[in-house]
Amino acid sequence: MKNNDYLKKVYRKFSKFIEIATIREQEYFILDAKYTNEFNIKVKELIKEIESEGKNDVEISVLFDTKGDIVLIDGEIIGKYIANCYNYSISTYYKEDSLNRIIREVINGSDKAQVDFIRVSYAVIYNIMGGLYKEIKCKKEILKQYKNKFGFYDYQYEDDVLVVLSLLILEDISKYITINPEAFLSCIQHIKDKKNVTN
């Protein structure tokens, strides 16, 4: 059973919520993963940067195989990476420096503003995950359960795990900032329409 206590906490920065939500959803959903070359390179650069600052204990959080690929990585590093990418992408899209200010405007905005925000957030999260993971292994019964929950019964594309993981994080965002549930459902329908998926 998944623990959703993190949805009830108050976070000073919205990016911290994204980090925690990402960590929790991945812990629950992902059994194993392989990472893209791009992410492997970024993690190595990050480790070098941290080591140059004199912090040498970071390697405990990341283990590489003999080919230089990540075989084990702390979920917190992935959560921070996704939160930073999300913060940058959303701030760039809305041409606003403060993610917290964007969130306040969305919460107080029109239904259309909320639908737009959810769709943009989904695209951002999906793209970040696509750039991070080369392969994701999860429990098939959990994948099926969430595909059914989101109405993707007939979704037979190879990105089904990415879609479901992105929707889980998006659902957390919607609940946390109390977005109109219709905005989230509209995003699901938009994804189905793009892939011509029927219920």
Side-chain angles (χ1 to χ4, degrees), residues 2-176:
K2 187 167 66 167
N3 181 345
N4 288 333
D5 287 349
Y6 63 96
L7 290 170
K8 298 172 188 159
K9 291 183 181 176
V10 175
Y11 301 90
R12 216 175 57 142
K13 293 188 173 185
F14 189 70
S15 58
K16 185 65 177 178
F17 168 75
I18 296 294
E19 177 187 330
I20 300 299
T22 300
I23 292 168
R24 294 293 180 266
E25 293 299 356
Q26 291 185 99
E27 283 175 351
Y28 178 73
F29 190 67
I30 297 175
L31 293 174
D32 192 20
K34 290 184 181 172
Y35 303 93
T36 62
N37 290 337
E38 179 187 346
F39 183 65
N40 275 292
I41 290 166
K42 284 182 181 177
V43 170
K44 287 174 193 169
E45 288 170 357
L46 177 66
I47 289 171
K48 283 180 187 171
E49 189 179 309
I50 291 169
E51 286 174 344
S52 72
E53 295 170 2
K55 300 176 185 173
N56 295 324
D57 60 343
V58 73
E59 288 198 55
I60 296 168
S61 300
V62 183
L63 295 175
F64 297 94
D65 64 14
T66 54
K67 296 175 189 169
D69 293 334
I70 297 168
V71 288
L72 188 65
I73 186 166
D74 189 323
E76 196 171 321
I77 293 172
I78 294 174
K80 282 184 193 307
Y81 174 81
I82 291 170
N84 287 341
C85 291
Y86 179 86
N87 188 359
Y88 174 78
S89 297
I90 294 293
S91 297
T92 301
Y93 180 84
Y94 282 96
K95 297 177 177 69
E96 171 65 62
D97 289 340
S98 170
L99 181 58
N100 282 5
R101 191 173 300 133
I102 294 166
I103 297 304
R104 274 194 303 276
E105 288 172 10
V106 168
I107 291 169
N108 298 319
S110 66
D111 287 346
K112 183 187 180 320
Q114 292 187 359
V115 167
D116 290 346
F117 173 76
I118 289 297
R119 286 187 183 178
V120 169
S121 288
Y122 171 80
V124 165
I125 292 166
Y126 179 89
N127 289 333
I128 293 168
M129 295 290 185
L132 177 69
Y133 292 111
K134 184 166 40 175
E135 182 183 315
I136 301 173
K137 292 180 183 171
C138 64
K139 291 182 182 173
K140 296 297 177 199
E141 63 272 12
I142 292 178
L143 177 61
K144 185 178 178 184
Q145 171 191 336
Y146 281 116
K147 281 172 75 172
N148 288 341
K149 175 184 176 179
F150 296 133
F152 284 85
Y153 316 104
D154 299 328
Y155 196 90
Q156 300 300 322
Y157 296 93
E158 62 184 35
D159 69 341
D160 60 350
V161 175
L162 266 184
V163 169
V164 168
L165 183 56
S166 300
L167 283 172
L168 287 170
I169 296 166
L170 190 67
E171 182 180 43
D172 288 349
I173 292 170
S174 298
K175 288 178 182 175
Y176 184 71

